[in-house]
């Protein structure tokens, strides 16, 4: 169920962009004081990014000889996230406006981080604009099938879902 909800999240958020590009016409901004903002706190945002970097950083370093850096810009109202490379650094940048989007939860933030990591690790097909970045669909696939599974494998998923009301 969690996977289905997260998959739908990617389809329903056309404001998400990757590889540094914001879609044409995307002027969506959500400030911390906006009535449209969700209830995610700056501490939850920063903690999630730090935990993600600690979880995946060692394998990126050991297996790819690169340093994973997750950059959070809580103060930015921009609704966006992207992946880029700078020499031996693999960068993921997430803006506060995206974290405050009404459709984003902490799990949605983790899914976004996994999607951006998927641009680095997702494999072929690659984007035509650069030679290192996996295409959007491949980054989605990596996020759902590899990254989130690994991130959540030790969680009590049955216990979590037993507390959820699922409409018939």
């Amino acid at each position: 169920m969690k996977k289905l909800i997260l998959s739908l999240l990617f389809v329903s958020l056309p404001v998400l962009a990757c590889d540094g590009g914001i879609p044409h016409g995307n002027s969506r901004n959500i400030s911390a004081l906006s009535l449209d903002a969700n209830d995610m706190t700056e501490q939850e945002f920063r903690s999630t990014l730090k935990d993600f970097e600690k979880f995946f950083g060692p394998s990126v370093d050991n297996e790819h000889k690169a340093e994973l850096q997750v950059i959070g810009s809580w103060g930015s109202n921009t609704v966006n996230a992207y992946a880029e490379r700078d020499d031996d650094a693999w960068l993921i940048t997430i803006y506060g406006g995206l974290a405050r989007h009404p459709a984003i939860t902490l799990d949605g933030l983790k899914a976004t981080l996994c999607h951006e990591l998927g641009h680095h690790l997702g494999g072929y097909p690659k984007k035509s604009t650069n030679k290192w970045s996996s295409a959007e669909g491949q980054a989605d696939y990596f996020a759902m099938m590899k990254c989130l599974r690994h991130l959540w494998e030790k969680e009590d998923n049955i216990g979590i879902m037993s507390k959820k009301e699922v409409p018939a």
Side-chain angles (χ1 to χ4, degrees):
M1 185 63 155
K2 206 178 220 185
K3 291 178 197 165
L4 173 64
I5 291 168
L6 292 171
S7 298
L8 292 174
L9 172 69
F10 280 109
V11 173
S12 67
L13 283 178
V15 296
L16 276 175
C18 301
D19 198 32
I22 298 173
H24 296 294
N26 176 21
S27 60
R28 185 77 193 257
N29 289 286
I30 301 175
S31 77
L33 302 174
S34 172
L35 295 176
D36 290 336
N38 61 29
D39 61 355
M40 187 179 304
T41 66
E42 181 177 1
Q43 181 179 355
E44 290 172 320
F45 172 75
R46 296 204 181 283
S47 175
T48 300
L49 273 55
K50 181 180 175 186
D51 291 348
F52 186 88
E53 187 176 274
K54 280 175 52 176
F55 190 85
F56 288 104
S59 63
V60 169
D61 182 34
N62 294 336
E63 297 171 28
H64 303 280
K65 305 300 180 226
E67 178 188 4
L68 178 63
Q69 296 177 18
V70 180
I71 302 159
S73 182
W74 179 257
S76 171
N77 297 333
T78 302
V79 178
N80 201 11
Y82 63 91
E84 64 182 330
R85 288 192 179 174
D86 183 21
D87 296 324
D88 293 330
W90 290 8
L91 309 171
I92 296 173
T93 300
I94 306 275
Y95 293 109
L98 175 64
R100 290 186 288 274
H101 191 283
I104 293 286
T105 62
L106 287 174
D107 285 344
L109 182 60
K110 291 173 187 175
T112 301
L113 289 163
C114 281
H115 170 88
E116 298 306 333
L117 185 60
H119 284 296
H120 292 290
L121 294 173
Y124 288 96
K126 301 286 187 175
K127 286 186 170 189
S128 61
T129 55
N130 62 47
K131 302 301 179 209
W132 63 265
S133 179
S134 294
E136 294 302 323
Q138 190 63 24
D140 285 345
Y141 178 83
F142 175 86
M144 297 299 137
M145 298 304 294
K146 305 292 183 182
C147 183
L148 286 170
R149 283 182 171 199
H150 190 53
L151 199 59
W152 290 335
E153 70 186 343
K154 290 188 168 80
E155 288 190 20
D156 178 18
N157 292 297
I158 293 172
I160 291 167
M161 290 310 296
S162 69
K163 296 174 186 160
K164 302 286 182 187
E165 185 175 322
V166 180

